[in-house]
Every structure is written in structure tokens, then in C-alpha cells.
Amino acid sequence: MTIDSAAMPGILAVGQSNAALATFILYTLGVFVIAALSNRLLQKKAFLSEYFLGSRGLGMWAFALTFAATSASGGSFTGFPAKIYTHGWVLALWIASYMVVPVCTMGLLGKRINQVARMSGAITVPDILRDRFESRFLGLMSTMLMVFFLVFNLVAQFKAGSLILETLLTGVEPFQTQAARVGDWVSNAAKTDGWTFLLDATGNPVDGGYLLCLMTFGIAVIFYTTYGGFHAVVWTDVMQGVVMVFGVAVMLPLALMQVGGLENATQELAQMVPPRPATICVDWGAQKTEDGVLPSGSWVQQPPATADGQPRLFRTTKSALYVAGTSQVCGVEALEILSDNEITRLTGPESPLTFLDAGVAEINEGDTYAYGSEEEHKGSYVTAPGPSRTDSTGFLPLGVAISFFFMWAISGSGQPQYMVRLMAFKDSQTLRRAIITVTMYFSIIYFPLVIIFVCARVLLPGMENEPDRIMPQMAVLLTENAGVGWLAGLLVAAPFAAVMSTVDSFLLVISSSVVRDIYQRNISPDASQRTIKWMSYFCTLAVGLIALFGAISPPKFLQDIIVYVGSGLAACFLFPVVAALYWPRANKWTCIVGMLGGFGAHLAMHLIGMQLNGSFVNAYRLFGLDPVVVGLVASLLSVLIITPLTPKPPEHLVRKYFYRQPAQG
Amino acid sequence: MPVMNDQPDYDPVFLHCRREAIVIVGVWVAAMIWTLSSCAATGYADGQDVPTIFGMPSWVCWGIALPWLVADVVAIALCLFYIRDDDLGVAHEGADVAEDIRHRHEGEGDGNA
């Protein structure tokens, strides 16, 4: 079997050079060195506080970058660029609330949660709630909610990390060889040995390359997190934060240069309409002599019917097999470019594309976009609400835009994995400086990302069916065009670093909850330091391995769950924690009912959505608002209503946490 | 707020934190009103002849880039001149667990008695 080399896309395959592999190896080695150094610190300080909270001694750079890197998950460098590519400039509005995210997520709770955690000696968020209200039930309930939400997220992050690593290493020969071997082994094990966990949701054996990357990525993260604890996570976050900002700093000028300036990119976009899916028959005009593969990403054109007409352009979006003795391959999935300006540019003398030496024999046109394809919506890439394939009201109607202002800035403040970091900084001066640093950091990451991938929409047409690959594709295109292809490996490390920094944080938050809130606080408070130490190692390892196992063949509905749990955590935790920190009248019922109110309302929106729209993820939008806003409002109302109806909190707790403490001695 | 002499005062760190949190919520509300009202007025429009500033659509410039810049300046000013440096105290590591152990032993003692 051959791959039709003439059909290879004009854009180079990702990770062609071994620089990508070298980058990955160097990067991983760096992470392991950091873990070893962190483990030495563990020997010198109080174990639990050091392992899960870095002995509350984070300085400005460590605190700022660990907060920023944890916040910038894999989505920032895969999902977000994919959205910009698919919907255009409206993503600037989608992400706009990041202008206040640092000051909100760090400033609203930071100083106070740090102080309260010090008062009680708490090292986790459930710990704080339990101590603040002296309620074992509240501690256990918040632990359960947190573990429930984060474990699903952890599985998804493992999957994302593996896919990014696979993209990074595609084209590296040693990796391809090993991936093929693993693929053979998986196939045998699944079919002959009955290892059904190696089958994916459709019943096919898991891809060898994916499994290899999952094991490499997963074991590396689990190892350094387990061995090094919080400090290993923080210091690797610092390294990862630097890699991310470096990636953006290199890509921005290259993208602007290669697109001919931002003005040019915007004007091109203003004339564009979204492409249309189609299935086509590719006709070579002569019989093929052997079997072969028509790769995904091949460009093929149908000549114009009239002399002054335009050709029709198609980009294949899935590989197709052809057999010897035939001249056609049919049922090839493709996207048809519909914008006149794109067609003119891509078929002109300066076209960056190489077209297949074949014609199009038959075209079955699919549905156009629900919003953005009509003449009156032309230019939807440069205005709100942006084009949408499925929603006739567009990608970002105003109600949803309002929701996103809550989603990032306010619900971000309610995420326990960020709260834990707020408990770890050294002093309030560190907090002030870190807010300034993260404010500038987010500004130089997120707005430039919008610009870079607006340019990508012009430079890399026809990728709507595989938008998650846009970041690595863009990295390769920009560096190859600039004659610095070796840089691609470093640039693609940015999303990889982003996923890694999120995974390690989640891992530690979950294991700390299990060790501290379940084992030490409920089962064995007088367990020895040595027992706690080994329990911590064991739990981190076990939680990591469970998530790793879950990611081998993630459930089909995983993405639905992720969308749900991402905002569900905030709906549960934000207002109960705010009440615990800032409202002396709050009692344990404030928190319990606030959590259940947020959880219930948020879940109800998804369940109603499932009834009305047939999909759990396509939630019902009450007054056009996202479920997270409904959940937050329900939680706030629950807190405000239940508190006056329930007894006042014990006086000694109010005195302890809200009143000036008498001078010692 | 307690006023009687025999009642303790509120912790100043708590008061500072609460005041700062209220101001931060105000910054968030201001940013939201500016951005959403500006984008609603000029961003949800016909895109073929969209005016540009520095190469970006003008609604992005006035409704997002400019408030983003202002929000950055305000956040930095808050950190430099408004948020107080407070003493957050010494961490009582293990204090809560010690309390758990004490309660457990008291319980055992009661049970034995």
C-alpha cells in the first residue's frame, strides 16, 4: 500500500523534525530534576503541609506562575485556538473577562482564605469549611463533591495531554515504529487475550500511538507529582508558564508577518463565509496500479464550468483507501471552500497549496452553517455573534456573552484548585505582586492568541473539521516559513506544558482531599507522620493510575461530563466559601444548603436541556443564561435565605475567625 | 459592629479583606458594563464593511482592547495603592487535627466512664 505522495498537503506534517522529540525529552528531564529537588525539601519540613501546600511559603514568581499555569489548562492552547479559528474575532468577546480574572480570582478571596487557613491549620478547602463551622459532615460533603467533579476532569486532561503529545511526535521515526508495535500488541491483546479495556467506545482497539503517549505522559506526571509533591508541581508550573509565554511571543510576530499584517487578515476574514461539508469522488483519470491511501488534508479542485467562472476547491478531512485497478475513490469526506476571495488566493500564482493531480467526479453537498453562510451574514467572522454550524442564533448571542463574564471571572474564583494555591503564598505583599504579574501575564497570552489564530484562519484554510490540530499546524507552518523549523518542537510544547500543569494540580488536590479530609480527619487523626507520608504517596499514585486507566478508553459521554463539571464546581463552592470567610452570621447550614442549591440548580438546567434538546451537554438556558450563572444565583439565594432561618453560629467560632485575637502572653 | 467595651473588635485583616473584595467586585461590574454595552451596541452588526483600528475590528478595539488596558491599569493601581499589606499570622499546623484527637480521646474517656 502506498500513500499518494502527490496528494500530501501543502502544510507539513507536524513534528517532522526530531527537534520535537529532543524538546520533549529535555523537558521531561527538567521536570524530573525538579521533582528530585522538591523531594529533598520534604525531608526537612512538616510533611503534610509541605507535600500539599509547600509549607505556605510561596514567593511572588512561584505563586504567580503556578496560579497562571494551573488556570491556563490544555484548553487555552488547543480548544481556545480551535474556537478562534472556527468563529473568528468574536472570541475576543468570549475571553474578554480575562481582563479582570487575575484581580477577581486572586483578590476576592486570596488574603482572607490564606489567613483563615493559617488560623485553623487547614491545608485543603474542605478542611477550611470543616474547621470554620466545626462540622464533620460539611467537610465530608465538600470532599465528596470535589473528588466527584475533579476525577472526571482528570481523565479528560490525561486524554488531552496524550493527544497533544501524539501530535508533537507524529512524524518522528522512532515513535512511529514503537507506536506500530504497541498497536499490534493492543490489537492482539484485545482480540485474542480478551483485554476488552483496550477497546475504544466503538469496539475497535485503542490506537497504539495514543496508548504509548498516554503511558509516557501519564507516568511522567504521576511520578513527579507523587515524588515531589506541591513544590514539584509549583516549580514545574513556573517552567511551564515560561514555555507558554515564550510560545505566544514567538508566534505573534511570525503570524502577523506571514499574513501581511492584521489589517489584511481582518479584511480577508470580512469577505469570508464558512466552508460547506461534502462527500466527493476523487477521479485520477487513469487506473491505479496498486492499493493506496488518499491522506486527509489533500487539496483537490474541479475546474470552472465557464471561462470566467471559479474552480471549486475541496480539502479532504479523512483519509480514504483506494484499490488497484480503479481510477476513482468515492465517499471521501471533504470541506468545500465557498469564499470567493479565498478561492482566488488559493488558486492564484502565489498559492501555498499543492493540488492533487485529479479531478472531482461527483459531489454530494452537506448542510451549510446554521448561522454565517447566508448573504446577509457575510462577514460573520469579524462581528458578533460569529458563525455557528449548529446554532441559528450564532456562536455567541448576547445572553451567552454575559454568562461568560460570570464564567471566567466569578466562577473561576470558586474553583477549589485555585483556592488551594491561595492558601500557599507567603504574605500579603506576595499576593499583591502576584496579582500584578498574572494580570500582565494573561494580557500578553490571551489577546495575542486571538490575533494569532485570526491569522491562522487566513493562512490555514479548510481545517474546520479538525480545529484541535490548528495550534501545532500553525506552529509548524510559521516556523517552517521563517526557516526555523526546529522551533516548532518548542512551540508545540506550550499546550503540552499547559495540560501538564493542570493535571498535576488536580492530582494533588484530589489526593490531599482523600488523605487529609477522609483518612486523617475521619479515620485516623493520630496516625503517625510516617503513615501519613506513605498514605500521601500511595493516594497520589493511586488516583493518578485510576485516571490513567480511565483515559485508555474514555467513555463516549466524557466531553459532556467535562462541560458539566467545569462550571458545576463553581456553582457549588463559590458562595459557601465567600460566606464562610466574610459573613460572621453564616453557619454550617449556610454552606450545606448553598452547595446543594448550586449543585441542584446547575444539574437541573442540564437535565431540562436533555429533555428538551436531547443532549445533556446542550443545557437549558434560563433567560438565555448559561447554567453556571443559574447555579451561582441559586447558590447565592440559598445562602441568603437559609442563614437567617437557622441558629446563630457558636460564639467561640465567630470570635476565633472574625474578631481581633487577644495579644499572646 | 460591636461597640461595647467588653466586646472584642473585628479583626482588621478581615475588615481590610472585605473592603478590598467589594472594590474588586466593583471593578468586575464596571468592566462587564463597559465591554458588554459597547460590544452590544457596535459588535452585533453587519460585518462586510466593519471599520478597523490597528487592524482589528473597531468594536473589538473600543469594547475589549481598551477596557482590557484600563482594567490592567486599575488592577495594578489597586495592588500598589489600595490593597493593604496585612499580617496574615502564623500557621497553626496540625492545630485542627490536634483538636480532632482531643475530641476523640474525650469521647473515649466519656465512653469508658
Side-chain angles (χ1 to χ4, degrees), chain A residues 224-572:
Chain A
Y224 82 71
T225 309
T226 303
Y227 189 62
F230 190 83
H231 257 120
V233 167
V234 166
W235 289 341
T236 49
D237 282 357
V238 170
M239 191 167 81
Q240 287 148 4
V242 172
V243 168
M244 286 188 256
V245 82
F246 174 80
V248 172
V250 171
M251 287 179 83
L252 181 65
L254 290 180
L256 287 173
M257 221 158 53
Q258 292 178 24
V259 83
L262 189 57
E263 178 71 34
N264 189 42
T266 302
Q267 295 305 340
E268 281 278 328
L269 236 63
Q271 303 305 318
M272 284 183 190
V273 290
R276 175 172 52 205
T279 51
I280 57 173
C281 279
V282 176
D283 184 0
W284 282 275
Q287 289 189 346
K288 287 285 181 186
T289 53
E290 57 181 320
D291 296 352
V293 180
L294 176 65
S296 166
S298 306
W299 284 91
V300 58
Q301 59 176 319
Q302 187 185 50
T306 58
D308 57 347
Q310 279 205 318
R312 294 180 73 173
L313 297 193
F314 298 87
R315 182 178 186 272
T316 62
T317 55
K318 272 196 178 164
S319 302
L321 299 173
Y322 55 81
V323 290
T326 57
S327 61
Q328 285 189 357
V329 56
C330 287
V332 180
E333 290 184 27
L335 280 178
E336 181 178 6
I337 305 296
L338 298 178
S339 313
D340 292 342
N341 61 329
E342 270 188 302
I343 296 173
T344 306
R345 184 165 50 84
L346 295 173
T347 53
E350 291 184 12
S351 169
L353 305 180
T354 308
F355 285 95
L356 194 65
D357 189 15
V360 182
E362 193 181 312
I363 302 165
N364 291 315
E365 293 172 357
D367 293 334
T368 52
Y369 272 41
Y371 183 97
S373 293
E374 310 84 351
E375 190 59 30
E376 72 264 26
H377 293 147
K378 201 171 177 185
S380 58
Y381 283 110
V382 295
T383 53
S388 170
R389 187 173 280 187
T390 53
D391 198 334
S392 60
T393 57
F395 168 70
L396 195 71
L398 194 58
V400 183
I402 295 170
S403 303
F404 275 101
F405 243 88
F406 282 86
M407 184 89 95
W408 303 133
I410 299 301
S411 79
S413 311
Q415 305 280 343
Q417 65 271 27
Y418 304 153
M419 292 182 190
V420 169
R421 268 146 181 71
L422 295 174
M423 291 154 64
F425 62 80
K426 192 171 56 181
D427 51 30
S428 50
Q429 192 182 42
T430 302
L431 175 69
R432 290 193 298 111
R433 290 177 177 173
I435 295 175
I436 295 175
T437 309
V438 179
T439 297
M440 292 194 284
Y441 184 87
F442 279 177
S443 302
I444 58 175
I445 290 258
Y446 285 104
F447 201 78
L449 275 175
V450 176
I451 294 175
I452 292 168
F453 289 95
V454 157
C455 297
R457 184 65 193 75
V458 178
L459 291 170
L460 289 169
M463 287 193 61
E464 274 80 357
N465 276 15
E466 42 188 343
D468 284 349
R469 288 176 60 86
I470 192 65
M471 164 72 193
Q473 291 279 26
M474 189 68 175
V476 172
L477 178 82
L478 294 178
T479 51
E480 291 285 346
N481 284 350
V484 285
W486 54 271
L487 250 181
L490 261 180
L491 295 185
V492 182
F496 183 68
V499 181
M500 224 178 200
S501 59
T502 306
V503 170
D504 56 23
S505 311
F506 280 15
L507 199 53
L508 221 49
V509 168
I510 297 171
S511 65
S512 64
S513 292
V514 175
V515 174
R516 174 70 160 192
D517 303 316
I518 295 178
Y519 181 74
Q520 193 181 27
R521 303 290 311 262
N522 287 289
I523 298 172
S524 180
D526 40 10
S528 69
Q529 277 283 315
R530 187 180 159 78
T531 310
I532 292 293
K533 180 176 174 175
W534 285 106
M535 274 293 292
S536 304
Y537 285 144
F538 172 76
C539 276
T540 312
L541 187 67
V543 170
L545 290 177
I546 289 168
L548 182 70
F549 189 78
I552 290 176
S553 175
K556 255 199 298 195
F557 49 86
L558 182 68
Q559 193 52 42
D560 295 1
I561 296 171
I562 299 310
V563 171
Y564 168 67
V565 301
S567 49
L569 263 174
C572 284

